[in-house]
Amino acid sequence: MAGVDSLPIEQKVAFRRQSIRVMRELLELSEIMVRAEDNPRGRDTFFVPARRIWFMFGGTIKRFDSDLGNGIENRFNSINTTLSQQSPDQSSLVANLAELHQAMATAVKISEERL
């Protein structure tokens, strides 16, 4: 089976765009779970996969807007640390997830326009 590297450029771009959209959707679901005070599911089922996608494709966003990309990465790291705590501050966690989700909306727009 052929890998992603053997795909035509148009398919690679489409894959990257879709991955960035999925990342934003995972963050939205993570925020919903945290609001429902189900932090383990918010972290393991939604946040961790979104963060993995960031590690694969975040460089694309950083290339187009380094301030946005660095801000998203810092927010990912901060939220990851908070979600690992036994009793995190829920209001702060929800606010950080909401800000990250908003930043990801901008990242999706950038990927749609510039990729």
Side-chain angles (χ1 to χ4, degrees):
M1 181 169 185
V4 173
D5 288 337
S6 64
L7 293 174
I9 190 71
E10 296 83 18
Q11 288 180 340
K12 288 179 184 179
V13 168
F15 179 75
R16 189 171 298 254
R17 283 180 178 159
Q18 183 62 28
S19 295
I20 291 170
R21 285 190 298 263
V22 166
M23 180 175 30
R24 188 185 114 234
E25 291 168 5
L26 287 168
L27 289 169
E28 182 178 14
L29 294 170
S30 179
E31 181 183 343
I32 290 167
M33 296 311 301
V34 167
R35 285 182 188 274
E37 297 187 13
D38 190 347
N39 291 358
R41 186 174 299 166
R43 179 190 62 232
D44 298 339
T45 305
F46 303 111
F47 183 80
V48 169
R51 192 166 181 240
R52 283 189 195 124
I53 294 170
W54 175 256
F55 288 135
M56 288 186 284
F57 298 111
T60 299
I61 302 305
K62 285 181 176 182
R63 208 171 46 245
F64 292 122
D65 187 330
S66 62
D67 290 339
L68 176 66
N70 289 328
I72 289 172
E73 188 163 311
N74 290 337
R75 186 82 54 208
F76 262 117
N77 292 337
S78 173
I79 293 168
N80 187 57
T81 299
T82 303
L83 279 171
S84 299
Q85 295 173 356
Q86 187 68 24
S87 299
D89 177 351
Q90 284 298 113
S91 62
S92 175
L93 185 55
V94 167
N96 282 329
L97 279 164
E99 289 175 20
L100 180 56
H101 181 248
Q102 187 64 31
M104 283 308 305
T106 303
V108 166
K109 184 177 178 186
I110 287 171
S111 78
E112 296 292 330
E113 293 173 352
R114 297 186 185 174
L115 277 181

